[in-house]
């Protein structure tokens, strides 16, 4: 697993913990999760069998930004 996916997973679980959920209560991402590129921009998509769980855009400085609305290519 690459570092961007690991960072996105950590952010996903931190957000769930902040909202009062335990790790067992949140949907678990599958191994299909990972970085992708759409329209020249880099994203990290956390996926499971039901579809996308969370999508993060990789900003120019390398920081991850969680998106409320996902790009159409997902």
């Amino acid at each position: 697993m690459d570092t961007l996916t690991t960072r996105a997973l950590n952010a996903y679980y931190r957000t769930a913990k902040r909202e009062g959920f335990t790790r067992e209560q949140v949907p678990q991402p599958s191994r299909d999760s990972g970085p992708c590129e759409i329209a020249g921009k880099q994203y990290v998509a956390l996926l499971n069998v039901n579809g996308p769980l969370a999508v993060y855009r990789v900003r120019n400085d390398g920081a991850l930004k969680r998106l409320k609305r996902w790009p159409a290519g997902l």
Side-chain angles (χ1 to χ4, degrees):
M1 190 176 301
D2 64 295
T3 57
L4 284 176
T5 306
T6 303
R7 289 174 46 210
L9 284 169
N10 288 336
Y12 176 72
Y13 289 123
R14 264 183 285 155
T15 301
K17 184 176 180 181
R18 192 174 339 136
E19 292 175 357
F21 296 101
T22 63
R23 189 176 182 129
E24 292 78 26
Q25 292 175 320
V26 296
Q28 301 298 307
S30 70
R31 295 185 187 270
D32 295 334
S33 301
C36 58
E37 187 171 326
I38 300 171
K41 294 184 181 180
Q42 290 187 340
Y43 298 92
V44 179
L46 300 180
L47 312 167
N48 74 2
V49 295
N50 298 321
L53 299 172
V55 178
Y56 295 87
R57 186 170 72 82
V58 182
R59 295 178 17 185
N60 292 338
D61 61 356
L64 297 177
K65 168 96 170 114
R66 187 169 181 164
L67 302 177
K68 294 180 183 180
R69 282 175 260 128
W70 305 326
L74 289 173

